[in-house]
C-alpha cells in the first residue's frame, strides 16, 4: 500500500504472508499465534482524536489491538484467534470511529454497511 496526502507519501506498507502461513502467523513479531489479522487506516486531520477513541475501545476487545499516529495517518492493527472475534471487534472499532467522524462526538448515528450485520 502507498498512500499520498497533500501530494506526499504518508504511508507505505508491504505486509505480506506467504509460504507456510500458520508457521509465519505463530511468530511473535508477525501475529503471535493469531489466525485473523486486520488493518484500519485513516488519513486526515482527526487522526490524533481517533487514536484516543480507539484506545478507549481497545480495552474491551477480544483481539490484540494496537494503534499509532504518524503525521496525518492513524494505523490500527487487530490480531484475533478467529475471524468471528476479529469481525466483532472490527465492527466495534469502526462504529466508534465513524461516530466520531460523523458527529464530532459519540453520537448514535454511525451505522456499518448492512453486510456487517449478517
Amino acid at each position: 500500500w502507498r498512500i499520498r496526502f497533500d501530494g506526499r507519501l504518508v504511508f507505505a506498507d508491504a505486509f505480506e504472508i506467504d509460504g507456510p502461513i500458520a508457521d509465519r502467523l505463530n511468530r511473535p513479531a508477525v501475529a503471535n499465534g493469531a489466525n485473523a489479522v486486520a488493518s484500519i487506516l485513516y488519513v486526515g486531520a482527526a487522526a490524533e482524536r481517533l487514536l484516543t477513541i480507539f484506545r478507549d475501545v481497545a480495552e474491551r476487545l477480544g483481539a490484540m489491538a494496537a494503534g499509532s499516529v504518524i503525521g496525518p495517518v492513524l494505523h490500527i492493527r487487530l490480531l484475533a484467534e478467529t475471524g468471528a472475534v476479529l469481525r466483532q471487534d472490527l465492527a466495534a472499532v469502526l462504529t466508534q470511529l465513524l461516530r466520531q467522524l460523523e458527529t464530532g462526538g459519540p453520537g448514535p448515528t454511525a451505522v456499518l454497511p448492512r453486510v456487517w450485520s449478517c
Side-chain angles (χ1 to χ4, degrees):
W1 298 13
R2 302 289 181 266
I3 298 175
R4 296 184 180 282
F5 185 73
D6 286 339
R8 63 184 179 90
L9 182 67
V10 294
F11 183 82
D13 188 12
F15 184 79
E16 179 180 343
I17 300 175
D18 62 0
I21 293 172
D23 291 342
R24 300 268 190 328
L25 290 174
N26 279 326
R27 295 171 60 191
V30 177
N32 200 29
N35 294 306
V37 180
S39 290
I40 299 171
L41 291 172
Y42 166 84
V43 180
E48 287 286 344
R49 180 168 50 96
L50 294 177
L51 177 61
T52 301
I53 299 307
F54 162 71
R55 287 184 173 155
D56 289 341
V57 175
E59 294 175 4
R60 300 183 299 274
L61 300 179
M64 292 180 282
S68 61
V69 171
I70 299 175
V73 179
L74 167 62
H75 182 208
I76 295 169
R77 186 153 287 153
L78 297 139
L79 304 170
E81 286 188 35
T82 67
V85 170
L86 183 66
R87 180 186 170 109
Q88 179 178 340
D89 288 349
L90 271 171
V93 171
L94 291 172
T95 297
Q96 292 304 312
L97 296 180
L98 287 172
R99 285 181 180 166
Q100 284 294 317
L101 289 171
E102 287 181 353
T103 66
T109 61
V111 178
L112 292 177
R114 199 174 95 185
V115 70
W116 280 79
S117 64
C118 299

